[in-house]
Amino acid sequence: MLHHISVSSALLDFLEENRILILNSELTKDSSIQIGETISFSKNVELFPYTTFQYGGATLFDMGVYSYSRSCLGGDSGRSNLQNVKIGRYCSIADNVRIFQADHDLQKFSTSTYLYAMPSFRREGYIVKQRTKERSKSIKLSRMSQNTSPPVIIGNDVWIGSHVALRPGIEIGDGACIATGSVVTKNVPPYAVVGGVPAKVIKYRFDKQIVDELLDIKWWNYDFLDFDLSANDRIEVFIEKIKHQIENGRLSHWLPGPITSKHLLEFI
Ligand SMILES: CC(C)(COP(=O)(O)OP(=O)(O)OC[C@H]1O[C@@H](n2cnc3c(N)ncnc32)[C@H](O)[C@@H]1OP(=O)(O)O)[C@@H](O)C(=O)NCCC(=O)NCCS
């Protein structure tokens, strides 16, 4: 079940204090969510500061510090598949990224959803009820599985281009990039750039030695504003400088705790 709460000025203040931005699809200054609009979230949601949810509608989902999404990956209201993604830190999710919806059963004589007993769904419930009345006849319908799809797990520093579809249950490794228009059906290794339908590895962002060092350092556990470097440093220089800072005790992890549904429900 998704919780829906109407945005009050107290909730706006709470989101602001916790540095959670909920924006419309425009990047203009006054595109923030307004009092009276609705935010939705599941019972298990974990939100973190310095994140941006930027799409029409405001279904929130798990996303780590310094990540933003221009796509709603929080599941459809009324569907079973509610909390279907976990996104790490420093991730960039473009527009029109989707997680596959539920599969239809390929082994029955038809994939039609009219075979399922779903009285609560307006479409199937109405159509089947009308037709069984007209015919004075019904057949035994199939029960719809209540199993939720396994979540998509997205690592840290992942960039997902626009118009990408992700299969439930896949894992996208730290540092990976998904090219625009891809349909990702399998796990993506760390620092791979994958593309196509189905997505295949195009290349890796860095050579193996660099990737191993980055996975060892796990720089995303720090606040990048504490790094004594320039964003333009070559990757080898970046690794040297970070290692040096860590060895000298001049960097410490920055792992703020989550904001949960319990906190948000106080604003009902
Ligand atoms: C993947 C991407 C980053 C390109 O990276 P690049 O290093 O410049 O790669 P190149 O253009 O040199 O292409 C490398 C190979 O990948 C292929 N490729 C590039 N984009 C691809 C895509 N979307 N799907 C499939 N293959 C793709 C190229 O055809 C090329 O293939 P080849 O080696 O057989 O010739 C870019 O194509 C992309 O998809 N960007 C996402 C843009 C976006 O959605 N932005 C949203 C704003 S957040």
Side-chain angles (χ1 to χ4, degrees), residues 2-3 20-22 39-49 51-65 67-76 81-88 91-94 97-99 151-152 154 160 166 258-261 264:
L2 275 185
H3 295 290
I20 295 170
L21 268 186
I22 304 177
I39 60 166
S40 309
F41 50 89
S42 74
K43 182 172 96 208
N44 304 322
V45 78
E46 290 197 337
L47 306 175
F48 289 89
T51 47
T52 308
F53 297 84
Q54 190 200 345
Y55 38 82
T59 305
L60 308 178
F61 46 88
D62 293 21
M63 194 158 62
V65 167
S67 288
Y68 75 85
S69 179
R70 297 198 57 202
S71 298
C72 180
L73 301 177
D76 295 337
N81 193 4
L82 295 177
Q83 183 55 56
N84 49 9
V85 71
K86 276 195 178 300
I87 300 175
C91 288
S92 311
I93 316 288
V97 175
R98 291 282 171 267
I99 295 171
V152 171
I154 299 175
I160 303 187
L166 306 168
I259 290 127
T260 64
S261 59
L264 297 171

Side-chain angles (χ1 to χ4, degrees), residues 228-230 233 237-246:
D228 292 334
L229 47 75
S230 147
D233 284 339
V237 175
F238 167 85
I239 289 171
E240 272 321 298
K241 285 184 175 173
I242 291 289
K243 280 191 349 200
H244 194 248
Q245 245 187 287
I246 295 171

Side-chain angles (χ1 to χ4, degrees), residues 7-259:
V7 174
S8 60
S9 70
L11 177 56
L12 275 188
D13 289 346
F14 176 79
L15 294 170
E16 172 97 34
E17 274 161 31
N18 286 285
R19 305 292 186 256
I20 295 170
L21 268 186
I22 304 177
L23 305 178
N24 300 321
S25 47
E26 301 305 318
L27 261 183
T28 52
K29 215 169 117 232
D30 51 2
S31 67
S32 302
I33 195 162
Q34 302 292 313
I35 293 172
E37 292 186 67
T38 302
I39 60 166
S40 309
F41 50 89
S42 74
K43 182 172 96 208
N44 304 322
V45 78
E46 290 197 337
L47 306 175
F48 289 89
Y50 305 95
T51 47
T52 308
F53 297 84
Q54 190 200 345
Y55 38 82
T59 305
L60 308 178
F61 46 88
D62 293 21
M63 194 158 62
V65 167
Y66 285 133
S67 288
Y68 75 85
S69 179
R70 297 198 57 202
S71 298
C72 180
L73 301 177
D76 295 337
S77 171
R79 299 264 166 179
S80 54
N81 193 4
L82 295 177
Q83 183 55 56
N84 49 9
V85 71
K86 276 195 178 300
I87 300 175
R89 298 157 62 111
Y90 295 88
C91 288
S92 311
I93 316 288
D95 61 298
N96 289 296
V97 175
R98 291 282 171 267
I99 295 171
F100 296 6
Q101 292 186 11
D103 285 334
H104 292 197
D105 192 333
L106 298 174
Q107 301 310 314
K108 295 203 166 68
F109 77 86
S110 169
T111 53
S112 166
T113 54
Y114 292 110
L115 265 57
Y116 293 101
M118 291 187 292
S120 61
F121 281 20
R122 171 96 177 113
R123 180 184 60 208
E124 285 79 359
Y126 176 79
I127 294 284
V128 173
K129 201 165 124 204
Q130 294 310 312
R131 188 59 181 151
T132 47
K133 238 197 253 164
E134 286 160 16
R135 293 285 322 276
S136 307
K137 187 166 184 323
S138 62
I139 65 163
K140 188 170 174 358
L141 297 174
S142 203
R143 279 205 80 72
M144 181 162 222
S145 162
Q146 287 304 305
N147 293 343
T148 52
S149 305
V152 171
I153 309 289
I154 299 175
N156 304 285
D157 187 30
V158 170
W159 173 32
I160 303 187
S162 62
H163 295 270
V164 164
L166 306 168
R167 185 181 203 148
I170 58 164
E171 290 189 23
I172 301 178
D174 297 322
C177 162
I178 316 291
T180 187
S182 302
V183 175
V184 189
T185 58
K186 299 210 165 102
N187 291 351
V188 177
Y191 284 93
V193 177
V194 302
V197 182
K200 305 261 190 248
V201 175
I202 293 172
K203 61 182 178 183
Y204 284 83
R205 284 176 57 196
F206 305 113
D207 67 30
K208 187 166 176 337
Q209 192 199 330
I210 300 276
V211 168
D212 288 346
E213 297 225 56
L214 291 168
L215 294 175
D216 193 38
I217 293 170
K218 298 190 191 332
W219 63 262
W220 40 83
N221 285 332
Y222 303 94
D223 183 349
F224 79 110
L225 296 179
D226 290 336
F227 295 166
D228 292 334
L229 47 75
S230 147
N232 297 321
D233 284 339
R234 281 187 307 112
I235 195 69
E236 294 81 0
V237 175
F238 167 85
I239 289 171
E240 272 321 298
K241 285 184 175 173
I242 291 289
K243 280 191 349 200
H244 194 248
Q245 245 187 287
I246 295 171
E247 279 157 20
N248 289 325
R250 286 191 290 114
L251 261 187
S252 34
H253 281 172
W254 180 53
L255 303 166
I259 290 127

